[in-house]
Amino acid sequence: MSRRWVLWFPLVLFGLIVMLVLWGMNRDRDDFVRSRLIGQPVPEFSLPPAVEGKPGLASNDLDDGKPQLVNFFGSWCIPCRAEAPQLAALAAAGVPITGIALRDDPENVRKFLDQYGDPFTRIGADRDGRLQVVFGASGVPETYLVAPDGTILLQHIGDIRAEDVPELLRAWKDAS
Amino acid sequence: MIAEAGLAALWLAAAMALLQTFAGFGGLGDRLAQLTASLRGFAVAQGLLSLTAFAMLLWLFARTDLSVGLVALNSHIDKPMLYKIAGAWGNHEGSMLLWVTVLSLTGGLIALLERKLDARSFAATLGAQGVIALGFYAFLLFSSNPFARLSPPAPTGQGLNPLLQDPGLAFHPPTLYIGYVGLSVAFSFAVGAMLTGKAGPAFARAMRPWVLISWIFLTLGITAGSYWAYYELGWGGWWFWDPVENASLMPWLAATALLHSVSVLAARDALRAWTIMLALTAFAMSMIGTFLVRSGILTSVHAFAVDPERGTFILVLLALYIGGALVLFGTRIGSVRQGAPFHLFSREGGLVANNILLSAILAIVLIGTLYPLIAEGLFGEQLSVGPPYFDKTTVPVALVLMLFLAAGPLLRWRRDGSGSLPRKLVLPAGASVVALILLLVLAPGTGILPLLGLVFAAGLAVASIVPLWGRKLLRTPLPIWGMVLAHLGVAVAVVGMASESGFTQERLAAVRYGEELEVGGWKVQLLGLDPVAGPNWTAIEARVLAKKGDGRWILHPQSRSYSSPVMQTNEAALLSRWNGQLYATLGAQDEQGRWQLRLWWKPFVSLIWLGGVLIALGGALALIGRVWRGFRARFPKTQQEGFA
């Protein structure tokens, strides 16, 4: 019975699959999801200002020699409110943050900024969500770290929690 | 009190499963006779009790009892009755309860009906079924209690995911579950056969109807799921190679292989170990599928009941059942005497080739589905494997499979030395050549895969009818008709897939009222928009005029808003003609006031699902034929030549 070992082959294969999914379930899944755009330059775009008194945002504003965060938000988005203190903390630490207001009107954006603070240096208005699609963003809030040369370094999906702040800050410093 | 009664019934059913397990495996020893009678009793009681529990859950959903957490989370007072009831299984707990209900009802049926097996195999089979059921009862009772109360009760309920609010999807999960559960029965039979060492034709004949039933339901479930995704998701595709879709395709592939090998075993007493292996694989695939869907380990567009803890539970069950069965396979299969030998060039040989090719596709799909995990584990890369990989790898294998599908049924059992195969293949080959010439002339520039698909399908369509040649049609056994119909169904489905992928025309445009678009020979105009309201949604509905020749039709694509939970869906409008479907979806309005309209002309796309239905119908004919023959047991043996 030289072929007896063949009979155990299915079990070995099955064991491998079980080990694989066991590992898959217990791996650390971070929210710093790498999108297809990681390592790619920011797509060309130009957005009008979302509120009066603050400039809009275009792709060439992002390659001005400093790494910065680009934050997709909306005044209608509840997690964005929860995220506001963390953005404020990052801004206070010296990180430049630009915003993109999704499917929003100026009045609501203004109210949102008045109530939850305004960490943004510029805010562009993405009225029909087209730029969101171009960026490959899956929802709001979502934040990108863009290198000085306009390359996207990382994508953070979902709201930034307090525990994410140090990591984002480190990533920003590494890029500087 | 209804919830408590349901919970009590569930506990009692679990107790019956425990008794069934002991009685079943006890039946392997000496005190067989006393145990067998009580074994049947336990199995029937378990079936009735779990049915009671499920009925209680349905009742709770029908009356929207919001003091039950599951109802509050998955239903709403304003929902139409059909979806209130469908809400009972449109969620994790309810669907697991449905799963175990179908499983234990089948156990009860086996206990009442099964007469083909010897007493020891019968006891071992029901014992194995008891173990499987026990795991799922434990799962329900300890980690996913569907009857848990909510305090205080919810005021209105959260509703059902609107995407699931569709008649197709209300019936989709039960259909698939019957398929999965049928495979668990095949698994139990295989375990029983390994324990007793009796894996001959009697075992194959006892197992075959269950394989057939589950295969029919899986086929229908996949077909319906594909059509649902096609018209409900609004992206005009019919197969996405999503992990959740693959979860139902993989057991189907294994079941298809099993269906053919079990017939070889029943008719020729060959392929014993292979048949048992496939029975284990088929059930393993349905469990792995369930696990992948529930654990959230892979990301899917169908994101559903993502919960790692529950994933762990299913993984443990999976490891115990499948791992245990594979250990049994390694230790016991050597003692299963190998069956009758056969020549490679024979019906058996053709079926072995079919099995190998189906297994190859299964392996490709499994690897593709798990590859994101493998890549992350070994290379630290995050990536997703999409349609390009699956199309490129599965389609060529499937094309080769079609060749065997055409030739296999024309071969004789044991050894085909007659040399008649080339003669029988003349007509099918002729059909392929005619199709090739027609395509080259009428549709030059067709891609190579769609072209091959259509050419092979033409040949297969003819070849699948050849076995009827020279027979008295009315006296031809139903299983043969079933085989012919199922193989024809494959050809029909392939024509649909190939022409959809080769000839679809698409148009995406922003239009104003009255502006005319053209797609696939149709002239299409947006006439206007109307607000409409349904039972629990509101929508903007477009009036889209489609003209071709003298014909005029109005399509009504909708953009729907649901209020509980808040969600937007796009309801596509379909215009079915004999030669294809015009597919329209309504998008958003842009700043200039134009409406986005997306149009597809998909030639012969309906054949995909028609083919699926034909395949299932073929299975049903075979099943009816087998059951019928069961009643007339003394049928002449010469007619036992069909498959399935």
Side-chain angles (χ1 to χ4, degrees):
Chain A
M1 291 308 271
S2 60
R3 287 195 357 209
R4 270 208 89 101
W5 63 270
V6 174
L7 301 178
W8 295 97
F9 181 66
L11 184 66
V12 174
L13 203 66
F14 176 72
L16 285 177
I17 292 179
V18 169
M19 270 156 55
L20 180 69
V21 293
L22 255 183
W23 169 81
M25 284 169 70
N26 294 317
R27 83 202 131 136
D28 298 324
R29 251 185 292 191
D30 46 14
D31 287 330
F32 294 89
V33 175
R34 297 167 63 85
S35 88
R36 237 169 296 172
L37 286 166
I38 305 296
Q40 309 259 339
V42 173
E44 288 277 322
F45 68 90
S46 169
L47 294 177
V51 282
E52 265 182 60
K54 201 150 242 194
L57 184 66
S59 39
N60 54 17
D61 295 325
L62 295 175
D63 48 10
D64 62 352
K66 252 192 187 170
Q68 51 188 309
L69 291 178
V70 180
N71 177 250
F72 281 84
F73 73 101
S75 63
W76 41 270
C77 141
I78 310 284
C80 299
R81 299 176 192 172
E83 177 183 68
Q86 281 71 254
L87 284 181
L90 284 164
V95 181
I97 304 175
T98 52
I100 294 173
L102 263 172
R103 294 191 288 274
D104 230 333
D105 63 62
E107 205 175 316
N108 288 340
V109 177
R110 170 53 59 203
K111 274 189 210 151
F112 177 83
L113 298 178
D114 287 346
Q115 195 170 350
Y116 299 98
D118 180 1
F120 303 111
T121 55
R122 297 166 163 272
I123 305 178
D126 186 17
R127 294 229 165 76
D128 51 4
R130 205 159 290 175
L131 190 67
Q132 184 190 20
V133 175
V134 171
F135 258 84
S138 52
V140 273
E142 196 156 308
T143 310
Y144 294 82
L145 176 61
V146 180
D149 62 350
T151 320
I152 297 178
L153 293 177
L154 68 80
Q155 173 190 25
H156 178 93
I157 294 176
D159 53 322
I160 298 171
R161 310 252 169 102
E163 62 267 27
D164 299 328
V165 172
E167 197 154 349
L168 270 174
L169 204 55
R170 194 171 339 117
W172 177 75
K173 279 190 182 134
D174 288 347
S176 306
Chain B
M1 278 312 289
I2 307 169
E4 285 68 29
L7 190 59
L10 201 57
W11 274 105
L12 286 174
M16 288 300 136
L18 190 63
L19 290 172
Q20 180 181 327
T21 306
F22 282 125
F25 291 130
L28 292 172
D30 312 321
R31 287 159 298 136
L32 186 61
Q34 311 121 9
L35 282 172
T36 310
S38 53
L39 185 57
R40 290 187 199 270
F42 294 143
V44 173
Q46 192 209 137
L48 292 176
L49 283 165
S50 64
L51 184 64
T52 309
F54 189 65
M56 294 296 151
L57 189 69
L58 286 181
W59 192 2
L60 290 170
F61 268 88
R63 45 177 286 184
T64 323
D65 186 336
L66 295 170
S67 69
V68 172
L70 192 65
V71 180
L73 279 175
N74 295 288
S75 195
H76 190 275
I77 43 176
D78 294 335
K79 242 176 16 170
M81 186 47 90
L82 172 68
Y83 301 121
K84 281 192 179 181
I85 291 175
W89 59 77
N91 60 76
H92 167 79
E93 286 84 353
S95 64
M96 294 319 284
L97 181 57
L98 174 64
W99 206 104
V100 80
T101 302
V102 182
L103 178 76
S104 60
L105 280 176
T106 339
L109 271 182
I110 295 175
L112 288 176
L113 301 177
E114 184 53 60
R115 295 285 183 268
K116 288 182 191 124
L117 282 180
D118 63 287
R120 289 184 73 224
S121 303
F122 172 79
T125 301
L126 275 189
Q129 272 237 295
V131 178
I132 296 178
L134 262 184
F136 284 93
Y137 287 124
F139 188 27
L140 279 165
L141 291 168
F142 299 130
S143 98
S144 309
N145 177 9
F147 298 105
R149 291 280 187 187
L150 183 70
S151 176
T156 56
Q158 282 199 345
L160 174 72
N161 182 342
L163 282 177
L164 304 179
Q165 200 153 314
D166 179 273
L169 219 68
F171 297 108
H172 180 57
T175 312
L176 277 181
Y177 284 3
I178 294 174
Y180 287 164
V181 170
L183 292 178
S184 78
V185 176
F187 175 84
S188 300
F189 273 103
V191 170
M194 285 191 288
L195 286 174
T196 56
K198 288 180 183 154
F203 149 74
R205 290 200 194 106
M207 181 164 92
R208 179 160 56 187
W210 301 105
V211 180
L212 255 175
I213 289 174
S214 64
W215 183 78
I216 293 166
F217 277 93
L218 280 177
T219 308
L220 284 176
I222 292 172
T223 306
S226 154
Y227 193 61
W228 168 79
Y230 172 75
Y231 74 77
E232 178 69 32
L233 297 181
W235 45 270
W238 57 275
W239 193 258
F240 195 66
W241 295 108
D242 178 83
V244 174
E245 288 175 341
N246 293 347
S248 61
L249 180 64
M250 291 188 290
W252 184 86
L253 289 166
T256 310
L258 175 60
L259 191 62
H260 291 87
S261 82
V262 86
S263 289
V264 176
L265 183 53
R268 308 289 323 158
D269 195 11
L271 304 183
R272 289 179 167 191
W274 181 241
T275 301
I276 285 187
M277 191 64 235
L278 280 176
L280 303 186
T281 309
F283 181 56
M285 286 305 146
S286 56
M287 291 245 345
I288 288 179
T290 314
F291 166 76
L292 290 179
V293 175
R294 306 274 156 177
S295 64
I297 196 169
L298 297 172
T299 41
S300 152
V301 292
H302 292 70
F304 175 59
V306 170
D307 183 342
E309 208 166 293
R310 288 165 177 168
T312 313
F313 207 118
I314 299 181
L315 187 65
V316 170
L317 285 186
L318 184 83
L320 285 177
Y321 294 165
I322 309 296
L326 289 175
V327 168
L328 204 57
F329 185 83
T331 49
R332 300 300 295 265
I333 204 70
S335 66
V336 171
R337 191 178 57 84
Q338 267 312 320
F342 55 87
H343 196 266
L344 208 58
F345 193 68
S346 63
R347 179 80 72 86
E348 290 96 323
L351 284 166
V352 169
N354 138 316
N355 269 231
I356 291 173
L357 290 167
L358 280 167
S359 307
I361 299 180
L362 173 61
I364 290 171
V365 176
L366 182 65
I367 292 172
T369 308
L370 292 177
Y371 193 74
L373 269 184
I374 302 174
E376 202 190 326
L378 294 184
F379 319 119
E381 268 180 86
Q382 285 203 350
L383 48 80
S384 60
V385 177
Y389 159 82
F390 288 105
D391 288 346
K392 260 182 230 148
T393 48
T394 54
V395 173
V397 187
L399 286 173
V400 179
L401 182 61
M402 283 175 76
L403 292 179
F404 280 93
L405 199 58
L410 306 178
L411 288 167
R412 294 180 187 191
W413 287 112
R414 197 124 58 135
R415 181 190 189 123
D416 194 323
S418 66
S420 66
L421 185 66
R423 191 164 45 78
K424 288 178 184 162
L425 280 175
V426 167
L427 226 52
S432 283
V433 171
V434 171
L436 179 64
I437 293 170
L438 280 178
L439 281 165
L440 288 180
V441 173
L442 295 177
T446 308
I448 182 72
L449 290 180
L451 182 76
L452 284 176
L454 288 169
V455 167
F456 282 28
L460 175 59
V462 175
S464 55
I465 302 173
V466 172
L468 291 177
W469 196 261
R471 279 178 179 274
K472 292 200 175 67
L473 293 185
L474 285 177
R475 298 192 53 193
T476 302
L478 275 180
I480 303 239
W481 277 104
M483 173 191 79
V484 166
L485 199 60
H487 287 186
L488 187 64
V490 175
V492 169
V494 171
V495 170
M497 296 169 193
S499 84
E500 196 269 347
S501 85
F503 307 124
T504 291
Q505 295 192 33
E506 185 182 351
R507 206 51 213 280
L508 172 66
V511 290
R512 294 179 196 286
Y513 293 162
E515 213 171 297
E516 195 168 81
L517 288 172
E518 226 203 290
V519 60
W522 290 83
K523 290 195 164 38
V524 182
Q525 258 179 324
L526 177 64
L527 295 182
L529 293 156
D530 310 297
V532 286
N536 59 342
W537 46 264
T538 56
I540 314 171
E541 187 177 274
R543 266 173 289 129
V544 176
L545 174 68
K547 289 186 289 191
K548 190 173 205 177
D550 295 333
R552 290 164 159 264
W553 292 268
I554 302 276
L555 281 81
H556 296 283
Q558 292 180 343
S559 172
R560 265 189 205 177
S561 308
Y562 286 82
S563 52
S564 56
V566 178
M567 192 160 172
Q568 290 270 340
T569 66
N570 270 312
E571 301 290 310
L574 299 178
L575 176 64
S576 296
R577 310 303 305 150
W578 68 273
N579 60 346
Q581 276 189 337
L582 186 64
Y583 186 116
T585 57
L586 177 69
Q589 193 174 24
D590 69 11
E591 282 149 23
Q592 287 92 49
R594 296 176 305 181
W595 287 88
Q596 210 180 54
L597 205 55
R598 189 162 202 162
L599 301 163
W600 281 278
W601 169 245
K602 293 176 171 289
F604 298 107
V605 66
S606 331
L607 293 185
I608 296 174
W609 306 291
L610 177 67
V613 172
L614 286 180
I615 295 170
L617 206 60
L621 281 187
L623 183 66
I624 293 167
R626 295 290 171 208
V627 172
W628 178 241
R629 179 143 55 197
F631 285 123
R632 305 171 40 179
R634 274 168 292 160
F635 214 65
K637 190 148 189 186
T638 46
Q639 302 220 354
Q640 285 201 358
E641 55 179 309
F643 311 26

